Amino acid sequence: MGFGILLLGYFTATVMSFNIFGAFFKLVGYVLAFVGIKKLSQYHKSFSVLAVSCLSVIAISACCSLGDMSDFLYTNLLAPSRFISEALADTFSYIRYTLELVFNVLLCTAVAAISKETGAPKLVYISIRNLVIYCIYFVLQVICWMPFEEIRSFLSATALPVWVLILNLLILILNVLMLFSAYTKICDEGDVEMKQKPSRFEFVNKMREEREEKARQRAEKYKKVPPQSVKKELYSEEQQRRAEDAERKKKKNR
């Protein structure tokens, strides 16, 4: 459906980018995320807006990669000069932070929208919670960037930059978990029939077979619930439970 590729891309662009080649990891990760978002845009229009935001982050990540390459060649390979100045590279970084804020806000709202339509209220709550935490993180990060002497003294006294870094790691992990939850709880009707690669352990295969059988039975019951005019149906665990409850009530009434 797209959540799997989006999850892989987001994890690469965020968690795996905490290294000296972070800008390159961000570039590769956001390209992967864009592929997943384009697939998801077939199901909800909010992901179309998110795709445009992702393209802007890809463009600025490419510029940041050039800045990091320029700095690496100058400091480690004794290049005569940087082909991108430090001031321009810093400007690219600030622009990227801003565009990533927009991307994460749109990501949380898109997940909330599709979760609401597919009847996953817990996932709606998670996405809104992550949105609020990310906005708090960004405000604190902007405070840390301010060049005023009073703020510098305040930062030194409170160790706020350390707490901002911890909050950054926290929200990135929460967003990864949010996307993983969406990946496991939301799929289209075609994905229900997909087969997993057999495991070398027999007990794992048995567990998968039982889970797939339950998912198949729920999907068959759910197909009777939505209108026939829906071109592509989305399924979630909550909707499948509701379908089962409705079926039981009908049998009791008979």
Side-chain angles (χ1 to χ4, degrees):
M1 182 175 176
F3 274 117
I5 302 175
L6 175 55
L7 171 61
L8 176 61
Y10 190 84
F11 182 81
T12 303
T14 55
V15 179
M16 292 184 64
S17 65
F18 283 89
N19 55 69
I20 58 173
F21 302 108
F24 175 75
F25 276 89
K26 283 183 177 293
L27 178 60
V28 173
Y30 282 119
V31 169
L32 286 173
F34 178 76
V35 175
I37 292 168
K38 284 298 292 180
K39 289 187 175 182
L40 288 166
S41 63
Q42 304 174 44
Y43 303 95
H44 201 282
K45 61 181 180 181
S46 59
F47 285 96
S48 299
V49 180
L50 181 61
V52 176
S53 175
C54 190
L55 282 176
S56 66
V57 179
I58 290 172
I60 196 62
S61 296
C63 294
C64 290
S65 297
L66 292 176
D68 286 357
M69 185 186 301
S70 172
D71 184 67
F72 180 80
L73 292 175
Y74 179 74
T75 56
N76 295 283
L77 300 181
L78 303 179
S81 63
R82 293 182 174 89
F83 57 86
I84 292 181
S85 65
E86 287 187 83
L88 184 58
D90 290 341
T91 302
F92 287 154
S93 296
Y94 290 131
I95 294 173
R96 188 189 68 200
Y97 276 118
T98 305
L99 293 178
E100 283 182 333
L101 167 68
V102 176
F103 175 82
N104 280 278
V105 168
L106 292 175
L107 174 65
C108 291
T109 54
V111 172
I114 197 171
S115 301
K116 185 177 180 180
E117 284 196 1
T118 55
K122 186 176 180 180
L123 195 52
V124 175
Y125 163 77
I126 290 173
S127 57
I128 294 175
R129 179 204 62 191
N130 289 8
L131 172 61
V132 173
I133 295 176
Y134 195 91
C135 291
I136 293 173
Y137 152 74
F138 189 81
V139 170
L140 295 176
Q141 182 66 74
V142 170
I143 293 174
C144 293
W145 288 338
M146 291 183 177
F148 305 113
E149 188 62 33
E150 295 81 2
I151 293 179
R152 293 292 181 186
S153 301
F154 172 76
L155 295 177
S156 300
T158 59
L160 182 61
V162 176
W163 291 107
V164 170
L165 177 60
I166 294 173
L167 187 60
N168 184 20
L169 291 172
L170 174 64
I171 186 57
L172 294 181
I173 293 172
L174 288 176
N175 278 350
V176 168
L177 294 175
M178 174 188 71
L179 292 176
F180 179 76
S181 180
Y183 168 70
T184 57
K185 291 183 178 180
I186 303 175
C187 66
D188 67 14
E189 60 179 341
D191 290 337
V192 175
E193 306 297 331
M194 290 176 62
K195 297 291 184 181
Q196 288 182 301
K197 186 178 179 180
S199 172
R200 290 179 296 178
F201 303 101
E202 186 62 29
F203 76 94
V204 174
N205 292 327
K206 288 182 179 180
M207 290 175 61
R208 287 178 178 175
E209 289 175 2
E210 291 177 0
R211 184 178 61 189
E212 289 174 358
E213 180 62 23
K214 289 180 180 179
R216 187 187 63 79
Q217 292 175 359
R218 288 175 179 172
E220 288 178 355
K221 292 179 180 180
Y222 176 71
K223 285 179 182 179
K224 302 175 183 179
V225 177
Q228 298 296 325
S229 59
V230 178
K231 186 178 180 181
K232 286 195 172 182
E233 299 172 353
L234 299 175
Y235 295 92
S236 68
E237 291 182 352
E238 285 77 8
Q239 285 177 318
Q240 291 165 358
R241 293 192 190 101
R242 290 176 186 174
E244 289 179 346
D245 293 339
E247 191 68 22
R248 292 193 192 100
K249 288 181 181 179
K250 287 182 180 179
K251 289 181 179 179
K252 287 181 180 180
N253 292 334
R254 291 174 185 172

